[in-house]
Structure formats: structure tokens, C-alpha cells
Amino acid sequence: MPEVDEESRGLAVEVVVRLTVSHIVQPVAPPEESARRIAAITERIAYPGGGA
């Protein structure tokens, strides 16, 4: 599994948090769908090689 450097990890965490807040403040889909989509993005960031 590819390693993610510390700076990229920090930026990824910030993006996921901001995306989550955005979906809470201005929802465009049901909460369950938003949660699934954010989880998919988080998984891709956390495991860039698909190792999850």
C-alpha cells in the first residue's frame, strides 16, 4: 500500500472535514447518501492504492 506523506494527510483531513461541514450546512442529498459519498472519498484518500 502506498504511503501518504504527512503534509498530504493533513490536507486530506482538512478537505474531508470541510466537505462534511459543507454537506451539513447546505445539503444536496439525503444524509445517508452524503455519508456514503464522504466515506468513499475518505477511503480513497486513506488507502490510495485501494488497500482497504
Side-chain angles (χ1 to χ4, degrees), residues 6-10 18 25 31-34 39-41 47 49 52:
E6 189 173 333
E7 181 179 4
S8 294
R9 184 179 306 113
R18 288 176 178 267
V25 174
E32 296 80 10
E33 166 133 5
S34 294
I41 292 166
Y47 304 101

Side-chain angles (χ1 to χ4, degrees), residues 10 19 21 26 44 46-48:
L19 181 61
V21 171
Q26 292 185 314
R44 289 180 186 186
Y47 304 101

Side-chain angles (χ1 to χ4, degrees), residues 1 3-5 8 16 20 22-25 28 30 33-34 38 41-45 49 51:
M1 165 175 28
E3 291 295 318
V4 177
D5 64 89
S8 294
V16 170
T20 302
S22 173
H23 279 275
I24 291 169
V25 174
V28 295
E33 166 133 5
S34 294
I38 292 169
I41 292 166
T42 303
E43 186 175 350
R44 289 180 186 186
I45 291 169

